[in-house]
């Protein structure tokens, strides 16, 4: 047992955090699985259907009430404003609260129309708006904990809410005449009691909560993305609303139960794939930025693992068009790597690019690109990508004065640290020593450098939104 404890303590904090996030996600869904049959017995099919409709509208309306400020814009802002994190986080909490107050005022003015549209009562709508705010505010605090890998408090509060919410819901369902309202009100009460402590600590520890620069940053970042966020939410929730409108609450309740079971299965699968934070590239960034391996000399990223046949492009009229997608491989497939490459290696002062349009494909946008860069210190770089290579390559190399970093498959990184930097080796190594040390750049390697390896398992799909947010912000504000 002591050996296992020591082995656990020796793990990187990122890996320990990933493990506990996975356990937390699993326990959250386990609680949901346990309580689902309880509520299906306490509520009629019509009531369960109405409860599902409430949750669907909650997710849809939350997009407008909160602007999803706890998503990529907050994480990116925390990284870019690392020296002013507390103030940045407090300002986002302030903006989230202001948005909540604005929507309360809007609801008071148009409550009759909104009630009719959603089919919900006034008190249900007020609870929904309150839940949107508490969840968004907690999401900001949780995002900061994930960035810093402070997983203990985050897991404790998350599991407390996950267990106490439905537990109190069982009590309220049996007490309240309106059992559906009892269920949703219980969740709201638990969220207020559990979430508000951490939220207020973030709210007030940062000092100034009204910061027009950060507010403008947030609004410019996320308002253009509302259609994107809304489309995802509508696709996931409109079916239950449509069934309720066309067939009735009872039928919606039956569908909602089946949907909940399916989501539980999907959620666990996603937890396995997503719990490890994309720390691999953060660690590479830290190594390069720290200067421990010296200045950049050369970098290249070959990323050709985007094979797309003509059948893919013919699937929809908007694919591979300027009007539909705004570009080809640079915007649609490889913006993730292009963004990371620039973030890690820095901004070049010269860029040359050769773009081929419709290369071996019947399309009009670029699908074969070779970029050559030059940096202020004289270092060079290349970025190569295409969509017509069925075998594909994904390899990033960063050559520095004191070593080299290689990433294969966007998953495994190898860091070579020279025992003497290359300038010193070049000046001091004799031909005899060179012959003894190297043979095909392999023999005697242990005398030249040490090797560190680490891996990552995060999925690229989750980063689409963040990359497009960065692009939009650069166009709008030059950041």
């Amino acid at each position: 047992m002591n050996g296992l404890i020591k082995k656990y303590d020796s793990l990187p904090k990122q890996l320990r955090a990933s493990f506990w996030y996975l356990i937390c996600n699993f326990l959250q869904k386990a609680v949901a699985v346990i309580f689902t049959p309880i509520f299906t017995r306490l509520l009629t099919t019509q009531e369960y259907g109405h409860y599902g409709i409430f949750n669907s509208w909650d997710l849809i309306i939350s997009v407008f009430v909160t602007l999803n400020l706890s998503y990529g814009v907050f994480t990116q802002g925390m990284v870019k404003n690392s020296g002013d994190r507390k103030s940045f986080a407090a300002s986002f909490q302030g903006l989230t609260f202001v948005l909540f107050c604005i929507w309360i005022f809007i609801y008071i003015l148009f409550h009759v129309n909104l009630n009719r549209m959603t089919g919900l009562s006034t008190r249900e709508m007020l609870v929904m708006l309150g839940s949107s705010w508490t969840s968004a505010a907690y999401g900001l605090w949780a995002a900061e904990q994930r960035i810093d890998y402070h997983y203990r408090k985050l897991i404790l509060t998350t599991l407390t809410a996950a267990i106490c919410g439905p537990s109190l819901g069982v009590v309220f369902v049996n007490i309240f005449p309106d059992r559906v309202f009892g269920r949703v009100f219980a969740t709201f009460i638990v969220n207020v009691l559990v979430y508000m402590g951490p939220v207020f600590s973030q709210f007030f520890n940062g000092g100034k909560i009204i910061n027009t620069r950060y507010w403008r940053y947030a609004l410019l970042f996320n308002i253009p993305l509302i259609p994107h966020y809304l489309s995802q939410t509508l696709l996931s929730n409109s079916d239950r609303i449509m069934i309720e409108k066309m067939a009735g609450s009872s039928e919606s309740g039956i569908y909602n139960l089946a949907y909940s079971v399916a989501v539980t299965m999907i959620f666990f699968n996603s937890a396995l794939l997503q719990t490890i934070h994309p720390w691999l590239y953060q660690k590479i960034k830290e190594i390069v930025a720290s200067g421990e391996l010296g200045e950049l000399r050369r970098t290249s990223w070959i990323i050709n693992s985007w094979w797309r046949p003509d059948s893919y492009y013919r699937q929809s009229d908007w694919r591979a068009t300027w009007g539909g997608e705004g570009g080809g491989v640079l915007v649609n497939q490889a913006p993730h790597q292009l963004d990371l490459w620039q973030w890690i290696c820095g901004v070049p002062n010269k860029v040359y690019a050769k773009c081929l349009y419709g290369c071996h494909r019947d399309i009009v946008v670029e699908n074969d690109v070779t970029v050559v860069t030059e940096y202020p210190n004289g270092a060079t770089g290349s970025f190569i990508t295409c969509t017509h290579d069925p075998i594909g390559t994904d390899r990033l190399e960063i050559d520095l004065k004191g070593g080299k970093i290689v990433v294969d498959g966007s998953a495994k990184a190898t860091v070579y640290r020279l025992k003497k930097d290359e300038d010193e080796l070049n000046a001091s190594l004799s031909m005899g020593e060179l012959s003894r040390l190297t043979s095909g750049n392999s023999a005697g390697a242990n005398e030249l450098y040490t090797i560190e390896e680490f891996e990552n398992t995060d999925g690229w799909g989750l980063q689409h939104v963040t990359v497009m947010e960065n692009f939009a912000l650069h166009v709008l504000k030059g950041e």
Side-chain angles (χ1 to χ4, degrees):
M1 181 60 70
N2 290 334
L4 288 174
I5 294 174
K6 288 181 180 180
K7 193 170 184 179
Y8 170 80
D9 290 337
S10 67
L11 294 174
K13 64 179 180 180
Q14 295 92 344
L15 193 56
R16 294 200 302 271
S18 302
F19 170 75
W20 285 109
Y21 290 150
L22 174 61
I23 296 299
C24 181
N25 287 334
F26 176 74
L27 290 177
Q28 276 184 282
K29 282 302 166 184
V31 170
V33 169
I34 292 171
F35 278 95
T36 294
I38 296 175
F39 285 113
T40 55
R41 284 162 175 76
L42 291 175
L43 302 173
T44 65
T45 54
Q46 185 174 5
E47 289 171 332
Y48 198 79
H50 188 71
Y51 172 65
I53 295 301
F54 174 91
N55 288 330
S56 295
W57 278 114
D58 183 26
L59 293 170
I60 294 170
I61 290 176
S62 289
V63 175
F64 297 100
V65 175
T66 69
L67 299 182
N68 284 352
L69 292 179
S70 60
Y71 282 35
V73 59
F74 182 72
T75 303
Q76 292 299 310
M78 291 288 279
V79 173
K80 292 179 179 179
N81 299 280
S82 57
D84 193 28
R85 275 189 178 183
K86 289 187 179 298
S87 177
F88 182 83
S91 70
F92 266 57
Q93 288 288 2
L95 178 57
T96 301
F97 182 71
V98 168
L99 289 171
F100 164 66
C101 293
I102 290 173
W103 276 98
I104 286 290
F105 179 72
I106 291 173
Y107 176 71
I108 291 172
L109 292 179
F110 303 102
H111 66 280
V112 175
N113 294 329
L114 289 171
N115 289 355
R116 186 184 301 116
M117 179 185 73
T118 60
L120 302 175
S121 65
T122 297
R123 60 181 183 177
E124 286 174 336
M125 288 294 297
L126 291 174
V127 166
M128 179 188 297
L129 293 172
S131 295
S132 296
W133 170 59
T134 56
S135 297
Y138 179 72
L140 293 172
W141 177 81
E144 183 179 15
Q145 305 311 300
R146 289 191 180 93
I147 291 170
D148 296 329
Y149 303 106
H150 296 161
Y151 56 90
R152 290 183 177 88
K153 289 182 180 179
L154 175 58
I155 289 173
L156 178 61
T157 53
T158 301
L159 288 181
T160 300
I163 294 171
C164 293
S167 298
L168 186 63
V170 172
V171 176
F172 280 16
V173 164
N174 285 287
I175 294 176
F176 281 58
D178 185 342
R179 292 187 290 188
V180 175
F181 179 74
R183 175 69 181 94
V184 299
F185 187 63
T187 301
F188 172 66
I189 291 296
V190 169
N191 288 352
V192 170
L193 294 176
V194 176
Y195 292 167
M196 286 301 100
V199 166
F200 285 142
S201 68
Q202 189 181 48
F203 203 104
F204 295 112
N205 288 343
K208 189 177 179 181
I209 62 174
I210 299 176
N211 188 312
T212 55
R213 181 168 70 90
Y214 290 150
W215 283 18
R216 188 169 66 253
Y217 167 85
L219 296 174
L220 287 174
F221 215 122
N222 266 34
I223 288 178
L225 291 166
I226 287 179
H228 174 79
Y229 293 134
L230 188 61
S231 64
Q232 291 181 316
T233 306
L234 286 173
L235 286 172
S236 300
N237 296 277
S238 59
D239 49 359
R240 282 169 283 182
I241 296 174
M242 292 171 63
I243 290 171
E244 192 268 342
K245 297 292 184 184
M246 294 186 295
S249 296
S250 294
E251 288 74 9
S252 177
I254 295 170
Y255 177 83
N256 189 49
L257 175 60
Y259 182 90
S260 298
V261 174
V263 167
T264 299
M265 297 169 65
I266 293 171
F267 189 93
F268 179 69
N269 181 60
S270 299
L272 290 172
L273 297 176
Q274 299 173 14
T275 49
I276 295 183
H277 197 76
W279 61 274
L280 180 143
Y281 288 104
Q282 289 184 347
K283 186 169 183 179
I284 292 172
K285 167 68 173 178
E286 290 170 2
I287 293 172
V288 173
S290 70
E292 65 170 286
L293 295 182
E295 67 176 3
L296 178 70
R297 290 191 165 183
R298 185 188 65 83
T299 177
S300 69
W301 200 333
I302 302 176
I303 175 67
N304 292 332
S305 51
W306 312 117
W307 186 60
R308 299 289 189 272
D310 276 329
S311 59
Y312 167 83
Y313 295 116
R314 287 194 298 265
Q315 189 177 26
S316 300
D317 292 339
W318 53 265
R319 290 188 186 277
T321 62
W322 295 110
E325 291 190 298
V329 65
L330 290 178
V331 171
N332 203 29
Q333 277 83 37
H336 326 288
Q337 288 80 0
L338 192 60
D339 183 62
L340 282 168
W341 189 51
Q342 179 270 317
W343 180 58
I344 293 170
C345 299
V347 179
N349 59 337
K350 295 181 181 179
V351 178
Y352 168 82
K354 177 65 175 179
C355 299
L356 301 181
Y357 302 91
C359 182
H360 308 294
R361 295 292 183 269
D362 186 20
I363 58 176
V364 297
V365 295
E366 87 287 349
N367 67 322
D368 187 310
V369 177
T370 300
V371 178
V372 178
T373 58
E374 183 178 329
Y375 296 87
N377 70 338
T380 59
S382 60
F383 185 89
I384 301 171
T385 185
C386 75
T387 64
H388 55 74
D389 181 354
I391 298 172
T393 300
D394 181 2
R395 183 178 176 89
L396 168 65
E397 295 188 2
I398 305 173
D399 291 349
L400 303 116
K401 181 179 178 181
K404 181 174 184 174
I405 302 172
V406 178
V407 183
D408 285 307
S410 295
K412 181 178 180 180
T414 304
V415 181
Y416 301 88
R417 290 182 172 86
L418 291 171
K419 295 182 179 179
K420 297 179 180 179
D421 67 48
E422 199 277 333
D423 284 346
E424 188 176 352
L425 286 173
N426 177 56
S428 63
L429 212 62
S430 68
M431 192 62 206
E433 290 173 314
L434 178 64
S435 299
R436 181 174 59 85
L437 284 173
T438 64
S439 175
N441 279 343
S442 59
N446 290 338
E447 297 183 39
L448 286 176
Y449 52 77
T450 61
I451 297 177
E452 177 189 5
E453 295 180 342
F454 46 90
E455 295 188 44
N456 186 31
T457 60
D458 78 296
W460 282 110
L462 299 177
Q463 300 178 17
H464 277 78
V465 175
T466 300
V467 173
M468 294 306 295
E469 286 172 345
N470 287 341
F471 176 77
L473 188 64
H474 178 72
V475 172
L476 292 170
K477 297 186 63 179
E479 295 186 3

